[in-house]
Amino acid sequence: MTMEPTAFMTMMEKRIGLTSEDKSILNSNADWGKGIASTMADHFYTYLGRDEEMNAILNKTEGRIHRLHETYIKWFHEMFTGVDAWGESYANSRWHIGLVHVKIGIGPQHVVPAMAMVVHEVGKLSKVDAKSEELKDALGRICMIDLAFIEQAYVEVSSSAVLRETGWSEALFKRLIATGASSM
């Protein structure tokens, strides 16, 4: 069950409908994205910090919240630039971000609403700054692709751990999951 990030990126672009026009719109607004990235990071970490569990994770080690804030600014701006036109480097970066989320314990129950907050807040800022609806839509699509990478990291890490520990085949594991879901 090993995921290849570039293939996953391509698949997500098709599923979510991220177009070359979206990429062009994002790229042409990269300076705006860079300009609001710190404000967006403030919104993001204020939101997450209100949750007791997330606040403990964010502040577990000295300076973590500062490092995360800086990483967020880079992540946010990269959505506009695509790093390498949303190719291999972008996909590998997003896969790495997903793995870090798993490693430090930021679960889907935190990531999904936080990403919804990002989409909402960037929508408000785009309206204030008289940005196009197309930009807002393109940002929503790239945010969903980035969210899919994080969610897929949970699936891949969990599946890999179970297969490694049990020696089960992938087919058996998938059948057990389907059977388990049917019984709930």
Side-chain angles (χ1 to χ4, degrees):
M1 297 184 105
T2 304
M3 186 196 75
E4 198 289 304
T6 305
F8 187 76
M9 180 73 189
T10 300
M11 179 176 58
M12 288 297 100
E13 284 185 33
K14 288 177 185 168
R15 285 186 180 165
I16 291 172
L18 184 73
T19 66
S20 58
E21 292 80 19
D22 290 330
K23 292 174 183 180
S24 179
I25 290 167
L26 289 167
N27 213 305
S28 68
N29 285 278
D31 289 341
W32 179 75
K34 188 175 188 175
I36 67 166
S38 184
T39 299
M40 289 301 299
D42 291 342
H43 285 299
F44 186 75
Y45 289 111
T46 298
Y47 170 81
L48 288 175
R50 293 191 306 245
D51 180 271
E52 189 176 321
E53 182 183 3
M54 272 308 308
N55 191 51
I57 291 169
L58 294 173
N59 292 291
K60 185 175 182 176
T61 60
E62 180 78 29
R64 177 183 270 178
I65 192 70
H66 175 73
R67 289 187 305 275
L68 290 171
H69 194 276
E70 294 303 310
T71 299
Y72 181 96
I73 291 169
K74 182 177 185 265
W75 165 79
F76 189 82
H77 184 241
E78 286 177 354
M79 286 192 298
F80 290 85
T81 66
V83 180
D84 60 347
W86 296 270
E88 184 177 352
S89 291
Y90 187 89
N92 287 334
S93 166
R94 278 19 194 193
W95 179 238
H96 176 75
I97 289 168
L99 293 175
V100 169
H101 278 77
V102 174
K103 181 179 177 183
I104 68 173
I106 302 174
Q109 73 275 18
H110 299 294
V111 174
V112 173
M115 191 64 85
M117 188 279 313
V118 169
V119 171
H120 176 74
E121 290 297 329
V122 81
K124 288 182 0 187
L125 285 174
S126 71
K127 194 172 194 175
V128 167
D129 292 342
K131 295 295 180 179
S132 71
E133 197 65 27
E134 291 80 14
L135 173 60
K136 182 181 162 193
D137 292 344
L139 273 167
R141 283 189 275 281
I142 196 63
C143 280
M144 292 307 100
I145 289 172
D146 282 14
L147 178 59
F149 269 98
I150 295 168
E151 294 295 303
Q152 192 63 30
Y154 285 98
V155 171
E156 296 288 330
V157 169
S158 300
S159 301
S160 177
V162 169
L163 293 175
R164 190 174 48 254
E165 290 297 318
T166 64
W168 294 345
S169 70
E170 189 174 326
L172 172 61
F173 180 69
K174 287 181 178 181
R175 190 172 72 245
L176 290 170
I177 296 294
T179 301
S182 295
S183 69
M184 294 185 106

